[in-house]
Amino acid sequence: FQRAECYRLMGNMRCLDDYRAALEGSPSNPSYLEARSKWHIAQADYSQAIQDLGKAISSSSEGLAHHYYLQRALVYISWKKYEAAVLDLDKAISCGGGPACYVQRANLFVSLGRAAKAIPDFITTLALSPNNPDAYYCLGRAYLSLGEYAKAQTNFTCAIRTDSQNPEYYAGRGQAQLGLDNFLQAVSDLEIAINLDSLEHIEYFVFRAIAQKGSKRLEKALDDVDEAIKRDPPREVFHFCRGLILQDFGCHEEAIPTFAHTE
């Protein structure tokens, strides 16, 4: 088995022969089955991975079943079979799965447009893991998608108090501030997000441009949206935002070709 793991980590398909030999000696070992499923996942052979994890679930002890249900749910998500993933996450939770299961199900609900169903799972996660900044952030995102900006702001602030170096938390709170028309506070949060950001989330500049526009700082708004366009010229929404700012400037003729760019 250990040699199979070495081969898998090297990307060598000879691992399959060793997994097969290991399973002949211990045909119902869920750890061996899970390990082999990782090879199949790496090859995007999700059907085989699902089969191995199904066998792992059947042969696992009651206390470990939630782990294998969670792993199979993650494969279903990669395979874009989201409803099957929800069912496995339901089973993982019913078998005693902890915060990771609730977070995965909640995030899946959000991605499926069911933010209202996600909120109880995030709240449960925080009850089980009260110092989890990502759970506060995700709960904030769920409230943001529902237009509950004050609740979103509160949860983003909790995330920031737990981890003050994550730019996504400030960007989330900045968007909540936009929803509350707190434009100057939004500018401040998005400024921090941009300064902390190492992944170049270009949309942060556009969010700040919208905040600058709301606070009547049109020149700064135009600078931000121009910076976003410079970094990603084809993004139509950036050009649309630029057109709106030019309209506020009264530059209607200049705005027309900007809007034409988005057609």
Side-chain angles (χ1 to χ4, degrees):
F1 173 71
Q2 292 302 327
R3 188 172 69 179
E5 288 288 85
C6 289
Y7 279 137
R8 178 177 66 81
L9 294 171
M10 292 166 58
N12 189 326
M13 68 181 302
R14 290 174 67 182
C15 68
L16 292 175
D17 293 332
D18 281 349
Y19 284 136
R20 189 177 303 110
L23 284 164
E24 285 175 358
S26 183
S28 60
N29 187 314
S31 297
Y32 294 175
L33 291 161
E34 181 186 14
R36 187 170 68 179
S37 77
K38 293 177 182 178
W39 168 264
H40 295 310
I41 293 166
Q43 308 307 309
D45 188 352
Y46 300 124
S47 177
Q48 286 298 319
I50 291 296
Q51 287 186 36
D52 276 345
L53 289 166
K55 293 176 183 176
I57 290 166
S58 298
S59 58
S60 67
S61 64
E62 184 175 342
L64 288 175
H66 66 85
H67 169 77
Y68 299 110
Y69 277 121
L70 172 60
Q71 297 310 309
R72 192 170 69 176
L74 295 175
V75 177
Y76 277 129
I77 291 170
S78 297
W79 204 5
K80 297 184 175 16
K81 293 184 178 291
Y82 301 121
E83 296 303 331
V86 170
L87 290 175
D88 267 357
L89 289 166
D90 290 344
K91 292 174 183 175
I93 289 168
S94 69
C95 290
C101 299
Y102 285 100
V103 166
Q104 285 294 335
R105 187 172 69 176
N107 282 327
L108 187 53
F109 282 144
V110 171
S111 67
L112 293 172
R114 306 174 195 167
K117 292 192 70 173
I119 287 170
D121 278 351
F122 285 132
I123 291 172
T124 300
T125 300
L126 288 165
L128 296 170
S129 180
N131 294 317
N132 186 333
D134 283 339
Y136 281 115
Y137 169 74
C138 291
L139 181 54
R141 297 296 306 175
Y143 281 126
L144 195 64
S145 70
L146 293 171
E148 297 188 37
Y149 301 117
K151 291 181 179 179
Q153 178 192 28
T154 297
N155 281 281
F156 289 132
T157 298
C158 290
I160 290 166
R161 286 174 181 163
T162 309
D163 178 2
S164 63
Q165 297 302 306
N166 191 316
E168 292 186 348
Y169 301 165
Y170 290 98
R173 190 170 69 178
Q175 291 174 70
Q177 302 283 21
L178 284 175
L180 294 167
D181 292 341
N182 295 332
F183 299 116
L184 291 178
Q185 293 93 323
V187 169
S188 177
D189 277 339
L190 290 159
E191 179 80 23
I192 296 171
I194 289 168
N195 289 335
L196 289 175
D197 184 35
S198 61
L199 299 176
E200 295 194 355
H201 289 89
I202 303 168
E203 62 272 17
Y204 292 175
F205 287 98
V206 176
F207 293 143
R208 190 172 67 177
I210 295 168
Q212 301 280 23
K213 178 177 177 292
S215 58
K216 307 303 181 184
R217 300 175 176 183
L218 297 181
E219 290 186 4
K220 290 184 177 181
L222 199 58
D223 288 343
D224 273 346
V225 80
D226 283 344
E227 181 64 27
I229 291 170
K230 182 175 74 174
R231 296 183 183 213
D232 189 0
R235 194 87 71 91
E236 291 186 356
V237 68
F238 296 172
H239 294 274
F240 183 79
C241 184
R242 189 176 197 276
L244 293 178
I245 296 167
L246 288 171
Q247 278 190 323
D248 280 7
F249 262 121
C251 302
H252 302 294
E253 289 188 13
E254 191 177 347
I256 289 171
T258 302
F259 288 130
H261 189 91
T262 67
E263 291 179 355

